[in-house]
Amino acid sequence: MKTLLILMLSLIMLPLAAQEPGELPDTAALVAKLRAKYAPVYRKYAGIETTRDFTTKTYDPDTGKLLSTARTVVRKKEYFYKEPDSTVISHEENGKKLDPDDYDTTEIEPFWPLFDDKSAEHYDFRVSGTATVENRPCIMLEVTPKGNDYRHFKGNAYITADTNELLMIEGKPAKPHWAMKEFSVKYLYEPVGGGYCMKRGWFTARVAVFLIRPDRRHVYEVKGSDSKPIPK
C-alpha cells in the first residue's frame, strides 16, 4: 500500500511567484508545440527507468502527530501507459534498516500523458497566466480532465517561456483512488531523452481502509536520479 501511494505518486511548496501576465500565447498554438515536442518520445520509448529516493512522514490526521519517518530507495521502470516495475534497493523506518524484500511493491497505472498523440481525448487546456518556477519564467497552463478517475490529472502545468518545456505540474487526480480520502501532487521535471522525468516531487495522501488501514496522512518527498529512456 505504501508504494501504491508513492506511485500516485505533495506537499512542500516549491518557490513559485505569480507574475503579472503580459502578452500570453494562444492556447491551441502552445499545446500544438508541446505535442509536437513530446508525442514522438511516447512513440519511440516505452517509459523512463529511474532511481527514486523517498522520504515518507506519516501523521495522525486528527492530531497532526508525527507517527513515523521512513526512507526508501527504489529503482523503477516507469512505463508511460502501464504499471511500473520496481526493485527496492533499501528501506528503513525510524532509523532502523529493514529487509527490502519485505517492502510492498504493489503498482498502479500512471496519469494519462498530457502531450502525447491522444492527449486531446483526455484533457482540455487553457493558458491562464504566468509564473516563476525555479527562477525560470513560465506559462501557466490549466489542465481540465475529460475523465473522472485517478488516471486523469487535474491542475496546472508550468511551461518554460523561452524553450516551451514542461517544467512542473501541481494538482491531483480527477477522482482519487478508492483507498484515499485526499491526494495531491507536485512534480518538478528535468529533460530526459527528448522528454521529461521527475527530478523532485512532493505529494500527500490520506489513506483509510475500513478494518485494514487506519486513517493516516502520508507526506512524501522524492528525489530522482540516473534516469534514462526505456526502448520499445
Side-chain angles (χ1 to χ4, degrees), residues 27 31 35 112-115 119-128 141-149 151-157 170 172-174:
T27 296
V31 172
R35 287 179 179 147
W112 294 115
L114 297 184
F115 305 117
S119 67
E121 299 177 13
H122 297 292
Y123 300 106
D124 286 322
F125 301 94
R126 183 179 70 89
V127 170
S128 59
L141 192 62
E142 182 181 346
V143 182
T144 301
K146 293 184 177 180
N148 188 33
D149 57 44
R151 297 202 64 182
H152 284 84
F153 172 77
K154 179 180 181 180
N156 292 305
E170 58 177 345
K172 59 185 180 180

Side-chain angles (χ1 to χ4, degrees), residues 14-223:
L14 290 176
L16 177 63
Q19 299 176 337
E20 289 298 324
E23 184 177 350
L24 297 176
D26 175 74
T27 296
L30 177 60
V31 172
K33 289 180 181 178
L34 292 165
R35 287 179 179 147
K37 179 190 292 285
Y38 292 126
V41 177
Y42 288 99
R43 294 193 294 266
K44 183 177 181 180
Y45 298 114
I48 300 291
E49 184 175 356
T50 184
T51 297
R52 298 283 186 234
D53 188 336
F54 295 94
T55 299
T56 307
K57 294 183 181 294
T58 300
Y59 298 87
D60 183 317
D62 296 322
T63 67
K65 180 181 178 181
L66 176 64
L67 302 176
S68 67
T69 301
R71 182 184 175 192
T72 310
V73 179
V74 182
R75 185 65 179 172
K76 297 172 61 66
K77 290 183 177 179
E78 296 188 332
Y79 298 107
F80 294 141
Y81 299 104
K82 65 179 183 178
E83 301 94 334
D85 292 330
S86 298
T87 301
V88 181
I89 299 171
S90 64
H91 177 60
E92 63 180 57
E93 190 168 339
N94 296 326
K96 181 180 178 181
K97 292 185 178 180
L98 302 176
D99 188 343
D101 292 336
D102 292 337
Y103 191 75
D104 182 4
T105 55
T106 302
E107 307 284 8
I108 61 172
E109 301 93 336
F111 287 131
W112 294 115
L114 297 184
F115 305 117
D116 69 352
D117 288 322
K118 295 185 177 181
S119 67
E121 299 177 13
H122 297 292
Y123 300 106
D124 286 322
F125 301 94
R126 183 179 70 89
V127 170
S128 59
T130 62
T132 299
V133 179
E134 296 282 286
N135 297 316
R136 298 188 66 179
C138 291
I139 303 300
M140 294 175 59
L141 192 62
E142 182 181 346
V143 182
T144 301
K146 293 184 177 180
N148 188 33
D149 57 44
Y150 68 89
R151 297 202 64 182
H152 284 84
F153 172 77
K154 179 180 181 180
N156 292 305
Y158 295 83
I159 312 301
T160 55
D162 54 349
T163 58
N164 289 331
E165 294 176 281
L166 177 60
L167 183 59
M168 189 177 77
I169 64 170
E170 58 177 345
K172 59 185 180 180
K175 183 178 181 180
H177 186 273
W178 63 267
M180 298 182 186
K181 299 178 71 172
E182 60 185 56
F183 181 77
S184 55
V185 61
K186 180 177 289 188
Y187 295 149
L188 179 67
Y189 294 111
E190 62 181 348
V192 174
Y196 51 88
C197 183
M198 183 178 66
K199 71 173 182 178
R200 294 174 64 196
W202 298 261
F203 42 106
T204 297
R206 183 175 176 179
V207 181
V209 182
F210 183 63
L211 297 179
I212 299 176
R213 302 282 299 183
D215 191 359
R216 294 290 184 266
R217 179 175 286 113
H218 306 276
V219 179
Y220 303 90
E221 181 174 0
V222 56
K223 297 178 181 179

